[in-house]
Amino acid sequence: ASFAPISDIAQNYFGSNETFYGSVSGVNMLAVITFIVFPFGAIYSFWANRTLGPRYSLLSATSVTVCGTLIKYLAARYTNSLGNANTYGLMFLGQALCGFMRCNFISFPAALSALWFPISEREMATALGSVSSSLGSAFGALIPALFVSETTHSDGT
């Protein structure tokens, strides 16, 4: 989803409409992969919360999300040596890893409120946690547009 607000710039970055990677469909797939892996992430989230407990479930989700973000960063950082196809593939992998673990973060406020809060406060705690997740997604959609204004092709032109 981080490419949606800057899709025109991402298209240019991945090679414009000359290839799938720079096409509208290619850039949109970077957002859609999150929704494709989400059901599998939901199954993992359920298993992890029941088996590992909330702490290790959240730690595993955070670790995988950090790895996904690091993969995306390295792909962007070394795009000139990787080429458009490899850069896109790594971005896709990073997006998939982050999307897979997103369900863990979405379901966590309810699990946390059940553990930490008395029954009379659980609704408010869950609501605040859920709203903060939505606010994080909103900021995630706004921030790329603030930092990325234009790009050059991977060959430097």
Side-chain angles (χ1 to χ4, degrees):
S2 57
F3 294 100
I6 54 168
S7 62
D8 56 335
I9 297 169
Q11 284 177 266
N12 187 37
Y13 184 80
F14 289 120
S16 192
N17 285 326
E18 301 163 6
T19 63
F20 171 76
Y21 316 115
S23 68
V24 173
S25 298
V27 173
N28 285 340
M29 277 305 295
L30 290 170
V32 171
I33 187 61
T34 299
F35 300 111
I36 293 171
V37 300
F38 191 85
F40 304 104
I43 293 167
Y44 170 79
S45 174
F46 177 76
W47 174 84
N49 279 327
R50 296 279 180 175
T51 307
L52 302 175
R55 178 183 176 157
Y56 291 109
S57 173
L58 190 60
L59 284 172
S60 71
T62 302
S63 299
V64 172
T65 301
V66 167
C67 287
T69 304
L70 184 62
I71 289 170
K72 292 190 312 182
Y73 168 76
L74 292 173
R77 178 76 172 96
Y78 297 106
T79 191
N80 289 338
S81 58
L82 291 171
N84 286 341
N86 292 330
T87 298
Y88 182 87
L90 287 173
M91 290 282 186
F92 195 82
L93 175 63
Q95 287 285 103
L97 289 173
C98 292
F100 182 78
M101 289 301 172
R102 181 165 166 68
C103 191
N104 236 15
F105 296 114
I106 290 173
S107 65
F108 200 71
L112 190 65
S113 67
L115 287 175
W116 284 3
F117 294 95
I119 293 173
S120 62
E121 297 175 2
R122 286 183 189 166
E123 289 176 358
M124 181 61 74
T126 302
L128 289 174
S130 298
V131 166
S132 67
S133 177
S134 297
L135 285 174
S137 295
F139 283 124
L142 293 174
I143 289 173
L146 297 175
F147 287 101
V148 179
S149 58
E150 63 181 67
T151 187
T152 59
H153 289 286
S154 59
D155 62 2
T157 59

